[in-house]
Amino acid sequence: MSYIPLPTDVNNNVLTRLSQRDMFDQIVSSERSPQVSANFFMPNTQVTDFMNVSTTGTGSTSMGGGKATFSTGTGTTSSVSATTVTTINYTPGFEVYSMFTSTFTTPTSANSTQFVGLWDVSNNGFYIGYNGTTFGAAVMTGGVQTFISRSTWNGDPLDGSPTSKFTRNGVPEAINFTYLNLFRIRFGWLGAAPIIFEVCSPDGNWVTFNTIVQPNTTA
């Protein structure tokens, strides 16, 4: 019978690693179960099989190459939006997160928007993307948007600066929003928990680029 040696430090103490902790400092010790999933790689399907799609003007959706494309087309007042058919059930005291892979088109108009994230039909939620020509993170409450531009983020700037944790082989590099990147938005809510915006680095580590510091800010 063969054995796999456990890692130890210089004093032969066994090294262990706890499972991931959520924002409430609770250990996540079991597999998480997705409540909502939209998989755009299924053959012989279209976007409307997974999402409720609304378009105006030249707005359209398409699928191919394992991804969905949402396009406004050339119409200056055109739009396209898509929402999942099912919804997430929020439970106080438990973290909820939305994870998605997305690319963005470099905007050419200050009147354009490109957003992706997690919010409801009552216009409450959290998302990222372009507001005009500026990339940022946003929170919407009762239909009122608070947009945090990239230049004012309180986390990693994702710009390749020496202290950035968005690294490839340990070397910081600037994020390219026109390339596929994996994002995650985490929140515990309860009306006053932080909202954390993250992206997966080329080295496979989650990097926090902005946190909405909700506690002790609103009545």
Side-chain angles (χ1 to χ4, degrees):
M1 181 180 295
S2 60
Y3 296 91
I4 299 175
L6 296 175
T8 59
D9 62 16
V10 293
N11 297 316
N12 290 322
N13 297 312
V14 175
L15 300 175
T16 59
R17 181 180 180 183
L18 294 176
S19 301
Q20 180 184 355
R21 292 179 179 270
D22 66 13
M23 65 172 50
F24 296 111
D25 205 32
Q26 300 174 127
I27 296 176
V28 180
S29 59
S30 62
E31 181 179 355
R32 303 199 190 201
S33 300
Q35 296 185 39
V36 175
S37 180
N39 303 312
F40 300 119
F41 55 84
M42 300 296 290
N44 303 316
T45 58
Q46 52 189 345
V47 176
T48 51
D49 293 331
F50 306 103
M51 310 190 81
N52 296 317
V53 177
S54 175
T55 62
T56 63
T58 55
S60 65
T61 63
S62 62
M63 279 180 58
K67 61 182 179 292
T69 300
F70 304 89
S71 174
T72 59
T74 58
T76 57
T77 59
S78 299
S79 66
V80 56
S81 65
T83 58
T84 57
V85 177
T86 53
T87 60
I88 287 178
N89 295 315
Y90 160 68
T91 302
F94 290 88
E95 180 183 86
V96 175
Y97 69 80
S98 174
M99 185 185 299
F100 48 88
T101 301
S102 180
T103 68
F104 299 87
T105 302
T106 301
T108 58
S109 171
N111 296 319
S112 65
T113 57
Q114 299 177 63
F115 288 134
V116 59
L118 182 70
W119 70 92
D120 61 22
V121 293
S122 299
N123 289 321
N124 299 286
F126 322 106
Y127 45 94
I128 64 169
Y130 280 101
N131 186 16
T133 58
T134 303
F135 193 91
V139 57
M140 182 176 285
T141 304
V144 178
Q145 175 181 271
T146 300
F147 185 78
I148 305 101
S149 63
R150 183 181 181 184
S151 61
T152 60
W153 286 347
N154 55 21
D156 198 295
L158 308 179
D159 59 359
S161 54
T163 59
S164 174
K165 295 181 180 179
F166 191 80
T167 60
R168 184 185 304 274
N169 298 320
V171 180
E173 74 176 40
I175 192 171
N176 188 335
F177 295 114
T178 65
Y179 289 166
L180 284 170
N181 279 289
L182 175 60
F183 298 94
R184 183 169 67 179
I185 302 174
R186 302 165 53 202
F187 70 99
W189 200 228
L190 284 168
I195 302 101
I196 303 172
F197 297 83
E198 302 169 304
V199 63
C200 189
S201 74
D203 282 332
N205 302 311
W206 285 108
V207 179
T208 299
F209 56 88
N210 190 70
T211 301
I212 295 178
V213 188
Q214 190 75 7
N216 203 35
T217 59
T218 59

